[in-house]
Every structure is written in C-alpha cells, then in structure tokens.
C-alpha cells in the first residue's frame, strides 16, 4: 500500500499499523467504541472512526486500498460477509481481505466448520498444521458476478 491511502475496516486496537502504514494515509475503522478509543490511545498520530462495515460512510473509490483483516471470523452470517465485501469493493480502488478463520462460532467461540473436522479447533490454532486436508470438504459457489464463496 506504499504511497496510497488505506481504509482499515475492522481495525480493532490497531495492532501493527505503526509498522505497516504511514499515519498520514491511514484511516482505521471499527464498529466497537471501546476498540476505537483503545486504537487512538495506542497509536498517536493515526486516525480512527467508528462505523459499520456493511454501510461505510465514504464515497465510491475514496481510498486507494480498503483492507479487512481478521474480521470475518466475527461476522455471524454469509449475507453480512458479502455486504462487507461489497462495501470494500465500493470504497477502495483495490480491496484486500485477509480471512484466517471461517465465520462460524458456537457459544464458546470454537470453530465448528460445518462438522467437516471431527473436533472443533480453537481460533488461534486454526492453521494448516492443525488438521489433515483430507478432513476438509471445500464448497465453492458463485454468489453473483463479483464474488465467489469458498
């Protein structure tokens, strides 16, 4: 993102942003007021706003990059996830989504993966080495002309 403006959707407390982004080109966004306040305290000089990722308060193509990392595991439905994707694509000239866990949780925040894995995995242990690929089934379908769900 060097040289471009960045909207970080779901920035939480702004971890690692000082190492990754220029404060003049960065805007962090999160739905949680306490996390936005913590981000401001921990990252002086950076800008943060509170907003809903499914209805971003910015013009079309307002940013060079709209990024969303480690957010979708907190999203309760596919429809909301697609809404977030659409907004990222609308406000960013380029959209980058980093999704490290699926958005499926039980009450204890264990990943259940539609039962394809015999036992749940803890969120922080969701990694290639945590299970055998033979244990997974990949579902792939087109949502519309812009998005494909895996």
């Amino acid at each position: 993102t060097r040289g471009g403006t960045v909207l970080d959707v779901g920035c939480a407390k702004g971890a690692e942003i000082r190492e990754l982004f220029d404060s003049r080109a960065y805007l962090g966004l999160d739905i949680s007021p306490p996390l936005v306040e913590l981000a401001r305290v921990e990252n002086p000089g950076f800008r943060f706003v509170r907003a809903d990722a499914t209805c971003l308060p910015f013009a079309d193509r307002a940013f060079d990059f709209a990024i969303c990392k480690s957010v979708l595991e907190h999203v309760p439905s596919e429809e909301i996830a697609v809404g977030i994707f659409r907004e990222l694509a609308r406000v960013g000239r380029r959209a980058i989504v980093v999704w490290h866990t699926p958005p499926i949780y039980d009450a204890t925040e264990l990943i259940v993966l539609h039962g394809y894995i015999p036992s749940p995995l803890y969120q922080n242990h969701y990694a290639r080495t945590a299970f055998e690929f033979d244990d997974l089934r990949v579902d792939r379908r087109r949502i519309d002309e812009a998005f494909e769900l895996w």
Side-chain angles (χ1 to χ4, degrees):
T1 63
R2 189 165 291 133
T5 56
V6 176
L7 175 65
D8 185 1
V9 174
C11 66
K13 65 179 184 174
E16 298 110 20
I17 65 168
R18 289 183 305 280
E19 293 81 17
L20 296 173
F21 303 109
D22 179 340
S23 64
R24 296 165 297 182
Y26 176 91
L27 178 62
L29 179 143
D30 204 279
I31 197 166
S32 167
L35 285 176
V36 169
E37 186 54 37
L38 183 59
R40 288 177 178 146
V41 168
E42 292 193 4
N43 302 284
F46 284 83
R47 296 176 303 135
F48 299 92
V49 297
R50 184 197 170 281
D52 184 334
T54 62
C55 185
L56 296 171
F58 306 109
D60 295 356
R61 300 175 57 87
F63 297 88
D64 294 311
F65 298 93
I67 68 170
C68 182
K69 60 182 176 54
S70 302
V71 169
L72 297 178
E73 64 268 25
H74 304 289
V75 173
S77 74
E78 178 183 314
E79 292 76 24
I80 293 172
V82 170
I84 292 170
F85 292 153
R86 290 189 191 293
E87 283 294 274
L88 291 170
R90 182 183 67 78
V91 303
R93 290 178 183 87
R94 292 184 181 155
I96 301 168
V97 177
V98 179
W99 184 10
H100 75 275
T101 53
I104 303 157
Y105 280 78
D106 66 12
T108 59
E109 294 195 343
L110 295 175
I111 297 170
V112 178
L113 284 186
H114 296 296
Y116 302 156
I117 294 178
S119 60
L121 303 170
Y122 286 98
Q123 173 184 350
N124 293 335
H125 297 147
Y126 182 73
R128 284 185 102 162
T129 58
F131 56 86
E132 296 294 325
F133 279 102
D134 292 341
D135 295 334
L136 294 178
R137 184 183 81 212
V138 175
D139 289 329
R140 176 183 173 196
R141 63 188 157 86
R142 177 142 314 268
I143 294 172
D144 62 18
E145 68 283 350
F147 297 106
E148 189 169 75
L149 179 69
W150 289 70

